[in-house]
Amino acid sequence: MIKRRSSRRLQIGRLFIGGLEPIAVQSMCNTDTRNIEQTVKQINCLEKAGCEIIRVAVPDLKAAKCLGVIKRSINLPLVADIHFSHELALEAINQGVDKIRINPGNIGSETKVKQVAEAARAKNIPIRVGINSGSLEKSILAKHNHQATAAAMVESALKHIQLLEKFDFDQIVVSLKASDLHRTAEAYSLLAEQVDYPFHIGVTEAGPGLKGTVWSTLGIGFLLQQGLGDTVRVSLTDDPIAEVKTAWEILKALDLRKRGVTITSCPTCGRTEIDLISLVKQAEEALADVDKDIHVAIMGCLVNGPGEAREADLAVIGGRGQGLILRRGQIVKRVQESDLIKVLVDEVKRYQ
Amino acid sequence: MIKRRSSRRLQIGRLFIGGLEPIAVQSMCNTDTRNIEQTVKQINCLEKAGCEIIRVAVPDLKAAKCLGVIKRSINLPLVADIHFSHELALEAINQGVDKIRINPGNIGSETKVKQVAEAARAKNIPIRVGINSGSLEKSILAKHNHQATAAAMVESALKHIQLLEKFDFDQIVVSLKASDLHRTAEAYSLLAEQVDYPFHIGVTEAGPGLKGTVWSTLGIGFLLQQGLGDTVRVSLTDDPIAEVKTAWEILKALDLRKRGVTITSCPTCGRTEIDLISLVKQAEEALADVDKDIHVAIMGCLVNGPGEAREADLAVIGGRGQGLILRRGQIVKRVQESDLIKVLVDEVKRYQ
């Protein structure tokens, strides 16, 4: 039901983004990039959790020199995150990364921009212009009453983009991240009217735990709902695994991607006569790695249970110390509470 | 920036919803209503977490008879959740609840509906018609190709509403909950064109943990963004405290309500030279009960730190084993990592 913006299709390693390609899930390592072993280990864990593109910070030449080894030790497309330095960008490209993130207006001179653009074109790797409301140029802020407005963010993005275009470089991805939702939505909408480059979307500095999850979900959700976004980064002050899981839940909720089992379950109330919260947690863990796009409903009573069961592939309706197992709305078994999850997992594995 | 739908204003106990009233946060007990002590205890905990309206299930007459004592032991407006039985509705009203949730088309006869409507009007309490995609009437499903579509949900809601209106009852709240987001959004939008009754919004059976949080956040967020919703219930297969916290984060993120300190913090990366995840968690806990609407940024490096600090009331920018404390973008102190949170909390308490 979501009509996606028509964006340019680009290659990042073995993956494509933009055009009609699936919206890719990405994250960023929080290890020290110079610690190759830890970084590779984190990337492999993130891949298992569903990460499709991984970015690492490149704060110095020592970190840049590690990129080749990291790249050869992982399966995911590798993105180098660089600030201010064309030397680091050239070294990252030389090391074989699949994409770099750098804002060309901040690296000193057009000669340097030209060198980076030519090196990236020679290897056919894209560059992401990453605008962040917290680090806009002073000259642009001055024109916008010293406020990092959506219009100021877009002006900054266009300035960096035009520098790359000047050197015939058009393999560009753009992000426009602010730490509040209205500004994020406005910035991407404004830029969508002006360029067809794919969008990397996210809410920056969304913060910790529930706050970060809710703000990221809303910010990213509103953009996706409008058809904007070709790759998603959820930013949380947390283990990046949580970022990947959250991104997938957003994409699944909006019917934009499919991945694994989806559990529908009731919130429990004074009518519930079974330990539903615990049963659902057990089911969630047991089904986490099942690679089947199916819908399981786990319900605590007969008020809404049968209706949800009808709409699910498999369902459990709990009663007093026991439960019914349903397949496509038809009762197939009556099972004791203690066996419910085991039987449900068996049914999921057998389901075709 | 959100323009709210113009809805009718109603009273629920000491609270008002609809019209220009703040969007109220509500939840539902998962205790056995017949266990008065546990139920009251849970309601008091929920109030402390920010719950503004509380609902309890009323599965039988014994539960209904407990409502008066519960009501007199709590501060929040109390809602009785009733299915199928006009006797339970009458007893709940008699016990002094502030609102009932019942679908009048399901209680048997127009005489019974009339009795309930008259009893509710005599006490000036509203009735919520609560449509759930999982429990639509067979007659309506039959007209919609046996699918619980948004149109079928709206038709069901209008049928129940018209039964109440027939007996001159217009203190009505409506909900239209489905377990998927597109249908939820479509149902509320359709009904908004036809009635001006306030909307209770939520995604039903959203499920456990992260999945429930993301789905509820998106479903509720899309409605609020369109200006729909006068009271919010997040449904999670979890402790109802989590429902209340999630609802508040949604409302805060959309600038619809204010409550306590808002933390902006970066996701950490290979540039971070301070244990930011742990510092932010400590700050989150220490500031959870501070009743001041202020914005705190906690940043791990100098790339985006200064920009975010400028936009925050108070900020920490972390470096190697120490950090700067900023007030309205101006550095006020340099502090060792071990003292950062203590000093930040002091600054928050002093901030005016």
Side-chain angles (χ1 to χ4, degrees):
Chain A
M1 292 173 74
I2 292 176
K3 191 178 174 301
R4 283 177 63 191
R5 161 179 174 255
S6 162
S7 64
R8 184 182 300 231
R9 185 166 172 270
L10 298 181
Q11 186 162 10
I12 305 175
R14 279 176 298 191
L15 196 84
F16 290 84
I17 66 162
L20 295 174
E21 296 295 333
I23 297 167
V25 170
Q26 62 170 284
S27 185
M28 183 168 185
C29 287
N30 60 3
T31 53
D32 185 330
T33 309
R34 293 159 295 199
N35 186 329
I36 295 175
E37 192 186 333
Q38 265 192 22
T39 301
V40 167
K41 193 175 157 197
Q42 188 173 54
I43 294 172
N44 290 335
C45 288
L46 285 164
E47 182 188 9
K48 201 167 163 235
C51 185
E52 298 172 313
I53 299 172
I54 187 68
R55 180 159 48 113
V56 296
V58 184
D60 60 21
L61 202 60
K62 194 169 168 210
K65 297 267 189 205
C66 297
L67 295 170
V69 181
I70 293 172
K71 166 76 188 156
R72 290 188 291 277
S73 312
I74 63 172
N75 301 312
L76 296 182
L78 180 65
V79 185
D81 191 272
I82 294 157
H83 289 267
F84 314 123
S85 163
H86 83 298
E87 286 95 347
L88 295 181
L90 293 173
E91 182 58 30
I93 294 168
N94 180 46
Q95 291 278 327
V97 299
D98 300 298
K99 176 181 168 194
I100 60 170
R101 183 261 171 142
I102 194 166
N103 289 349
N106 301 344
I107 63 179
S109 70
E110 295 208 354
T111 317
K112 291 176 180 174
V113 175
K114 187 172 181 224
Q115 278 181 278
V116 172
E118 283 176 356
R121 187 170 42 237
K123 294 270 186 104
N124 190 32
I125 67 169
I127 294 177
R128 171 160 67 97
V129 167
I131 303 304
N132 198 304
S133 63
S135 54
L136 287 185
E137 301 90 328
K138 281 183 185 160
S139 58
I140 287 182
L141 283 172
K143 287 171 61 182
H144 294 266
N145 199 22
H146 302 282
Q147 301 290 313
T149 59
M153 292 169 69
V154 169
E155 185 175 333
S156 174
L158 289 172
K159 193 190 82 178
H160 295 294
I161 288 169
Q162 282 152 10
L163 260 174
L164 290 173
E165 288 174 337
K166 188 168 179 178
F167 300 106
D168 289 328
F169 190 87
D170 62 1
Q171 302 292 293
I172 301 172
V173 181
V174 195
S175 65
L176 294 163
K177 300 186 189 175
S179 52
D180 69 273
L181 308 187
H182 294 304
R183 195 166 38 156
T184 304
E186 193 188 346
Y188 280 101
S189 298
L190 284 173
L191 190 63
E193 295 165 11
Q194 309 211 38
V195 300
D196 74 343
Y197 297 121
F199 286 166
H200 161 126
I201 62 172
V203 176
T204 192
E205 342 291 9
L210 182 64
K211 191 260 173 179
T213 305
V214 167
W215 289 55
S216 286
T217 299
L218 287 172
I220 291 168
F222 288 149
L223 291 170
L224 292 173
Q225 179 80 349
Q226 291 173 68
L228 304 177
D230 301 287
T231 172
V232 169
R233 160 87 191 284
V234 172
S235 296
L236 298 175
T237 308
D238 203 340
D239 187 326
I241 295 279
E243 300 185 342
V244 171
K245 289 187 173 171
T246 305
W248 273 105
E249 287 300 344
I250 297 169
L251 292 169
K252 284 175 70 177
L254 295 174
D255 269 340
L256 288 164
R257 297 283 305 265
K258 294 186 185 304
R259 181 180 167 88
V261 177
T262 298
I263 297 178
T264 293
S265 60
C266 71
T268 79
C269 73
R271 280 184 296 270
T272 317
E273 296 183 310
I274 196 164
D275 184 2
L276 196 82
I277 296 181
S278 155
L279 287 174
V280 170
K281 281 196 178 139
Q282 289 170 49
E284 206 183 8
E285 280 169 30
L287 298 172
D289 294 325
V290 174
D291 185 21
K292 270 189 181 174
D293 164 34
I294 68 171
H295 176 189
V296 173
I298 308 179
M299 303 291 293
C301 85
L302 285 168
V303 170
N304 294 315
E308 290 295 337
R310 249 193 322 272
E311 299 188 352
D313 298 308
L314 287 165
V316 174
I317 302 178
R320 290 195 189 166
Q322 56 179 5
L324 301 173
I325 303 270
L326 298 93
R327 195 187 302 136
R328 298 188 191 96
Q330 302 300 315
I331 298 172
V332 292
K333 269 179 200 149
R334 179 184 297 272
V335 187
Q336 290 305 302
E337 181 168 351
S338 55
D339 295 331
L340 264 177
I341 298 307
K342 192 187 156 300
V343 175
L344 173 65
V345 171
D346 287 347
E347 287 289 332
V348 167
K349 290 189 175 156
R350 261 196 289 161
Y351 191 87
Q352 295 192 326
Chain B
M1 292 171 74
I2 292 175
K3 191 177 173 304
R4 282 177 66 191
R5 161 179 174 256
S6 161
S7 64
R8 185 183 299 231
R9 186 168 171 266
L10 299 182
Q11 185 164 11
I12 305 175
R14 280 176 298 191
L15 196 84
F16 290 84
I17 66 163
L20 296 173
E21 297 295 332
I23 297 167
V25 170
Q26 63 171 284
S27 185
M28 184 168 183
C29 286
N30 60 3
T31 54
D32 186 329
T33 309
R34 293 160 293 199
N35 187 329
I36 294 176
E37 192 187 332
Q38 267 192 22
T39 301
V40 167
K41 193 175 157 196
Q42 188 172 55
I43 293 172
N44 290 334
C45 289
L46 285 164
E47 182 189 8
K48 200 167 163 237
C51 185
E52 298 172 313
I53 299 172
I54 188 67
R55 180 160 47 115
V56 296
V58 184
D60 60 20
L61 202 60
K62 195 170 168 210
K65 297 265 189 204
C66 296
L67 295 170
V69 181
I70 293 172
K71 166 73 189 156
R72 290 187 292 276
S73 313
I74 63 172
N75 301 311
L76 296 182
L78 180 65
V79 185
D81 192 273
I82 293 157
H83 288 268
F84 313 124
S85 163
H86 84 298
E87 286 95 347
L88 295 181
L90 293 173
E91 181 58 29
I93 295 168
N94 179 47
Q95 291 277 328
V97 301
D98 301 298
K99 176 181 166 194
I100 61 171
R101 182 262 173 141
I102 194 165
N103 289 349
N106 301 343
I107 64 178
S109 71
E110 296 209 353
T111 316
K112 292 176 180 176
V113 175
K114 189 173 179 223
Q115 278 181 279
V116 172
E118 283 175 356
R121 186 169 45 236
K123 295 268 187 107
N124 190 32
I125 68 169
I127 295 177
R128 170 159 68 95
V129 166
I131 302 304
N132 198 304
S133 63
S135 53
L136 287 185
E137 300 90 327
K138 281 185 184 155
S139 59
I140 287 182
L141 283 171
K143 286 172 62 184
H144 293 265
N145 199 21
H146 302 283
Q147 301 290 312
T149 59
M153 292 169 69
V154 169
E155 184 174 334
S156 175
L158 289 172
K159 193 191 81 178
H160 294 295
I161 289 168
Q162 282 151 9
L163 261 175
L164 290 173
E165 287 173 340
K166 188 168 178 177
F167 300 106
D168 289 327
F169 190 86
D170 62 2
Q171 301 292 295
I172 301 171
V173 181
V174 195
S175 65
L176 293 163
K177 300 187 189 175
S179 53
D180 70 273
L181 308 188
H182 295 305
R183 197 167 36 156
T184 303
E186 193 187 346
Y188 280 100
S189 298
L190 284 174
L191 190 62
E193 295 165 11
Q194 309 211 37
V195 300
D196 75 344
Y197 297 120
F199 286 166
H200 160 125
I201 61 171
V203 176
T204 193
E205 343 290 8
L210 181 64
K211 190 260 174 179
T213 305
V214 167
W215 289 56
S216 286
T217 299
L218 287 172
I220 291 168
F222 289 150
L223 292 171
L224 291 172
Q225 179 81 347
Q226 291 174 68
L228 304 177
D230 300 286
T231 173
V232 168
R233 159 90 192 282
V234 171
S235 296
L236 299 175
T237 308
D238 202 341
D239 187 327
I241 295 279
E243 300 185 343
V244 171
K245 290 187 173 171
T246 304
W248 273 105
E249 288 300 344
I250 297 169
L251 293 170
K252 284 175 69 177
L254 295 174
D255 269 340
L256 288 164
R257 297 283 305 264
K258 295 187 185 301
R259 182 181 167 86
V261 177
T262 297
I263 297 178
T264 293
S265 60
C266 72
T268 80
C269 73
R271 280 184 297 271
T272 317
E273 296 184 311
I274 196 164
D275 185 2
L276 196 82
I277 295 181
S278 155
L279 287 174
V280 170
K281 280 196 178 137
Q282 288 170 48
E284 207 184 7
E285 280 169 30
L287 298 173
D289 293 325
V290 175
D291 185 21
K292 270 188 182 175
D293 165 34
I294 69 172
H295 176 188
V296 173
I298 308 179
M299 303 291 294
C301 85
L302 284 168
V303 170
N304 294 315
E308 289 295 338
R310 249 194 322 274
E311 299 188 354
D313 299 307
L314 287 165
V316 174
I317 302 178
R320 288 197 191 166
Q322 54 180 7
L324 301 173
I325 303 269
L326 297 92
R327 197 187 301 137
R328 297 189 191 97
Q330 302 299 317
I331 297 173
V332 291
K333 270 180 198 146
R334 181 182 295 272
V335 187
Q336 291 304 303
E337 180 167 352
S338 54
D339 295 330
L340 264 176
I341 298 308
K342 193 188 154 300
V343 175
L344 173 66
V345 171
D346 286 347
E347 287 289 335
V348 167
K349 290 189 176 158
R350 262 197 288 163
Y351 190 87
Q352 297 193 321

